[in-house]
């Protein structure tokens, strides 16, 4: 490809690019659509929890395990070899293959007739989705220049709220009109088609083509192959990267623990039905999460030009603001009031995402971006996705003996302390960033 022929060595001493590559917005739109499908597939289990429970007779603990620990183990562990492969090959092709795999596995979920079959299908979804997000982070970072990546990654990170909202509206509507199985089958079929369209519309950009020359000029070639051990050692030796991952992971204990049980909570303990979930809960998620993630990306681009500490202070502040809204949501005596309070957490809970992703992509070498993104997701999801739903499901079953009518409410209250742990980790990160640790890329923001 013509773009692949760009040589970073020829850019030595030049200013970093200020404009996106041709086709950047088409690529961003397509990658975001793939991310929408990624998250839609992942959220269908939570959205259709009650009809699945009624059909297969599974407990809250079993739902928590299949949506949490079982899924996370495969999703996180496979992401490391996928990240290594993508850093050394064509990232667009890796993403296309991953999308096809998780979409086929989603179809299999709709055909499962027993809990073990559903477990195997969901694990297979995790295997495919492991190759979805890390390559996309790196592709976007090579299509958009520094100073615009926060906005671009913020737009890309609209995938989860759009996917969640569409999943709620589409999945609940299909389940109410037909069956929960058909929802899985239709979404999976759309994903298989999208995997093929991706190969046609998106070209592989040159690694690091829009970056300024790096301080570590020993590896100036954009085609340099970063070793697995080298990238792993770099990541764990950088306290700002580790703290960003840990803070995000603890935040995800709240977001995944809540997200995987909100529909079941609203239906079982607040009295909603699927048709109401498809409209009102979908609106809350679509508006709240989308606004939060988009605004966070814009704020990160703006405030990190002044200080790198903004990568940490923004999520710390918004999580602190979210706590009273979250408590009010869990307490609310009716579902309309609960959804009104839920707008607060759905807007404020997700500022960490664009912040952590942008920080990691800005702070590592171009040939280490996919692997570093995979390591970020490994820590985030093993902690958040692995523990959040599993913890809430087990807590709900434990509280059922003493609170048979509101066991999920009691379980959701137990997530509040995790807010404060996450806030503490982000404040620690702000302190580290404030020390002025130099970025390996020339022109990095100062503290």
């Amino acid at each position: 490809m013509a773009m692949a022929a760009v040589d970073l060595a020829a850019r030595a001493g030049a200013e970093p690019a200020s404009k996106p590559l041709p086709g950047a917005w088409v690529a961003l739109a397509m990658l975001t659509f793939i991310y929408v499908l990624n998250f839609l597939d992942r959220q269908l289990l939570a959205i259709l929890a009650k009809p699945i429970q009624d059909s297969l007779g599974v407990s809250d603990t079993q739902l928590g395990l299949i949506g949490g620990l079982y899924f996370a183990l495969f999703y996180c562990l496979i992401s490391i070899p996928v990240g290594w492969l993508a850093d050394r090959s064509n990232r667009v092709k890796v993403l296309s293959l991953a999308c096809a795999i998780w979409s086929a596995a989603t179809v299999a979920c709709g055909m499962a007739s027993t809990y073990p079959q559903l477990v195997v299908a969901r694990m297979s979804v995790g295997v495919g989705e492991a190759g979805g997000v890390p390559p996309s982070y790196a592709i976007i970072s090579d299509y958009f220049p520094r100073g615009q990546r926060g906005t671009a990654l913020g737009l890309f990170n609209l995938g989860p709220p759009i996917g969640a909202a569409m999943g709620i509206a589409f999945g609940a509507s299909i389940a109410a009109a037909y069956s929960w199985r058909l929802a899985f089958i239709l979404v999976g079929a759309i994903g298989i088609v999208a995997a093929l369209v991706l190969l046609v519309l998106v070209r592989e950009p040159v690694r690091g083509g829009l970056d300024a020359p790096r301080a570590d000029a020993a590896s100036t070639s954009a085609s340099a192959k970063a070793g697995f051990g080298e990238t792993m050692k770099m990541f764990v030796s950088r306290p700002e990267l580790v703290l960003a991952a840990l803070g995000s992971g603890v935040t995800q204990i709240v977001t995944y623990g809540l997200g995987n049980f909100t529909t079941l909570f609203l239906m079982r303990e607040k009295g909603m039905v699927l048709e109401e979930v498809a409209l009102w809960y979908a609106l809350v998620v679509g508006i709240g999460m989308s606004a939060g993630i988009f605004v966070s990306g814009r704020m990160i681009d703006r405030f990190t030009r002044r200080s790198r500490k903004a990568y940490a202070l923004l999520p710390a502040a918004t999580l602190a603001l979210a706590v009273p809204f979250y408590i009010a949501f869990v307490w609310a005596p009716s579902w309309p009031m609960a959804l009104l309070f839920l707008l607060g957490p759905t807007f404020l809970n997700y500022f960490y995402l664009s912040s952590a992703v942008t920080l990691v992509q800005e702070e590592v070498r171009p040939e280490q971006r996919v692997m570093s993104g995979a390591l970020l997701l490994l820590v985030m999801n093993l902690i958040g996705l692995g523990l959040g739903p599993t913890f809430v499901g087990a807590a709900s079953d434990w509280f059922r003996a003493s609170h048979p009518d509101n066991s999920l409410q009691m379980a959701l209250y137990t997530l509040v302390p995790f807010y404060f742990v996450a806030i503490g980790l982000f404040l620690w990160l702000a302190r580290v960033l404030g020390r002025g640790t130099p970025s390996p890329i020339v022109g990095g923001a100062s503290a």
Side-chain angles (χ1 to χ4, degrees), residues 3 9 35 68 77 98 104 106 140 174 192 221 226 232 235 252 255 258 311 313 324 344 349 361 394 396 406 416 445:
M3 285 195 302
Y35 199 11
L77 296 179
T106 299
I140 292 168
I174 294 295
I192 293 172
S221 171
M232 176 77 77
F235 194 96
Q252 285 192 344
T255 59
L258 173 63
Y311 285 118
L313 293 178
N349 277 355
Q361 294 296 304
S396 177
N406 62 331
V416 173

Side-chain angles (χ1 to χ4, degrees), residues 19-190:
K19 294 182 180 180
L21 292 178
W25 293 105
V26 173
L28 179 60
M30 191 63 207
L31 293 175
T32 303
F33 179 69
I34 296 289
Y35 199 11
V36 167
L37 292 177
N38 179 306
F39 211 82
L40 202 163
D41 288 359
R42 194 185 312 178
Q43 291 298 301
L44 273 181
L45 183 74
I47 296 159
L48 303 176
K50 194 172 189 305
I52 291 173
Q53 276 192 330
D54 295 341
S55 176
L56 301 183
V58 299
S59 67
D60 287 356
T61 299
Q62 288 175 314
L63 276 176
L65 285 169
I66 195 174
L69 185 61
Y70 295 159
F71 181 92
L73 284 176
F74 279 78
Y75 178 78
C76 296
L77 296 179
I78 297 297
S79 68
I80 299 303
V82 168
W84 176 85
L85 174 64
D87 267 333
R88 304 172 70 87
S89 62
N90 188 297
R91 296 164 293 185
V92 174
K93 291 181 179 178
V94 170
L95 175 59
S96 176
L97 177 61
C99 181
I101 292 172
W102 85 59
S103 299
T106 299
V107 173
C109 289
M111 298 179 177
S113 58
T114 64
Y115 179 71
Q117 290 176 0
L118 187 60
V119 169
V120 172
R122 292 304 292 175
M123 287 179 172
S124 301
V125 172
V127 170
E129 290 190 5
V133 181
S136 297
Y137 287 158
I139 293 168
I140 292 168
S141 295
D142 284 332
Y143 263 110
F144 290 86
R146 188 181 185 92
Q148 297 182 34
R149 287 175 186 151
T151 298
L153 289 167
L155 289 170
F156 172 71
N157 283 325
L158 290 175
I162 295 172
M166 288 180 61
I168 294 164
F170 174 80
S173 299
I174 294 295
Y178 301 99
S179 74
W180 63 269
R181 298 181 184 279
L182 183 60
F184 280 100
I185 292 170
L186 288 177
V187 170
I190 294 170

Side-chain angles (χ1 to χ4, degrees), residues 97-334:
L97 177 61
C99 181
I101 292 172
W102 85 59
S103 299
T106 299
V107 173
C109 289
M111 298 179 177
S113 58
T114 64
Y115 179 71
Q117 290 176 0
L118 187 60
V119 169
V120 172
R122 292 304 292 175
M123 287 179 172
S124 301
V125 172
V127 170
E129 290 190 5
V133 181
S136 297
Y137 287 158
I139 293 168
I140 292 168
S141 295
D142 284 332
Y143 263 110
F144 290 86
R146 188 181 185 92
Q148 297 182 34
R149 287 175 186 151
T151 298
L153 289 167
L155 289 170
F156 172 71
N157 283 325
L158 290 175
I162 295 172
M166 288 180 61
I168 294 164
F170 174 80
S173 299
I174 294 295
Y178 301 99
S179 74
W180 63 269
R181 298 181 184 279
L182 183 60
F184 280 100
I185 292 170
L186 288 177
V187 170
I190 294 170
I192 293 172
V193 174
L196 299 175
V197 174
L198 175 69
L199 293 176
V200 176
L201 293 183
V202 180
R203 299 175 66 188
E204 173 76 1
V206 63
R207 287 173 169 83
L210 299 182
D211 290 307
R214 296 189 300 275
D216 53 340
S219 58
T220 54
S221 171
S223 61
K225 303 295 192 295
F228 173 86
E230 176 192 357
T231 304
M232 176 77 77
K233 182 178 179 181
M234 177 278 301
F235 194 96
V236 300
S237 67
R238 301 275 297 280
E240 66 271 30
L241 303 184
V242 174
L243 285 170
L246 291 175
S248 300
V250 175
T251 304
Q252 285 192 344
I253 292 178
V254 177
T255 59
Y256 278 118
L258 173 63
N260 274 261
F261 284 95
T262 299
T263 302
L264 187 60
F265 175 58
L266 291 171
M267 293 181 67
R268 197 167 75 190
E269 299 186 12
K270 301 296 183 183
M272 291 188 80
V273 296
L274 276 174
E275 291 84 357
E276 292 168 337
V277 168
L279 175 60
W280 299 111
Y281 180 43
L283 284 174
V284 168
V285 171
I287 294 171
M289 286 180 64
S290 297
I293 290 176
F294 177 74
V295 170
S296 69
R298 300 286 292 181
M299 292 180 71
I300 287 163
D301 273 345
R302 179 178 178 181
F303 290 111
T304 55
R305 290 170 185 164
R306 306 175 188 175
S307 172
R308 293 168 70 218
K309 291 190 290 185
Y311 285 118
L313 293 178
L314 277 173
T318 52
L319 288 174
L321 291 172
V323 173
F325 290 101
Y326 175 79
I327 294 173
F329 158 72
V330 179
W331 162 84
S334 65

